[in-house]
Amino acid sequence: MEVLMNIDLTDDEYMMVIKAVNAARLFYEEKGNQAEVANCNHLTKILMVGDKITFEVGKGITEGGWKDLEEFMKERKKEELETAKVIKFPGK
């Protein structure tokens, strides 16, 4: 598959994935589904040693999907810039 775009999750998005997997693990524990609990535990171990999650967008995306993705990525970048913390060092 030809990759048209790579999307790296932000640190906050990465942590949200970890939280979602842990929430799923708790749900499966309550339901007694040990196979899914094991799957969640395996995924959590992988997530905890990883540095990032990257999604590859390939040729299978539709024109409408591409347009939606571009709009989403613009909004995501805008939000990222608005919430970025800038550290200013005193000049000489």
Side-chain angles (χ1 to χ4, degrees):
M1 172 178 81
E2 181 183 350
V3 176
L4 302 175
M5 176 191 287
N6 286 322
I7 302 170
D8 293 330
L9 292 188
T10 64
D11 290 342
D12 288 343
E13 292 165 338
Y14 188 84
M15 287 308 299
M16 183 57 68
V17 171
I18 292 172
K19 289 176 186 177
V21 171
N22 283 323
R25 181 184 51 78
L26 293 172
F27 170 80
Y28 290 123
E29 282 177 351
E30 286 181 9
K31 298 297 179 186
N33 188 336
Q34 293 306 309
E36 291 300 329
V37 169
N39 286 336
C40 291
N41 287 336
H42 293 150
L43 184 53
T44 298
K45 286 178 186 177
I46 292 168
L47 291 169
M48 295 307 289
V49 298
D51 289 329
K52 66 180 179 177
I53 298 175
T54 302
F55 292 92
E56 294 179 343
V57 180
K59 279 189 164 181
I61 192 169
T62 64
E63 186 176 325
W66 187 258
K67 182 179 176 187
D68 290 344
L69 178 61
E70 286 179 323
E71 189 63 36
F72 169 77
M73 293 303 291
K74 285 179 192 175
E75 186 64 31
R76 182 178 182 244
K77 186 67 172 176
K78 179 182 168 193
E79 288 174 9
E80 188 177 309
L81 291 173
E82 289 173 353
T83 60
K85 294 175 179 68
V86 177
I87 299 172
K88 294 184 180 182
F89 293 99
K92 291 183 179 183

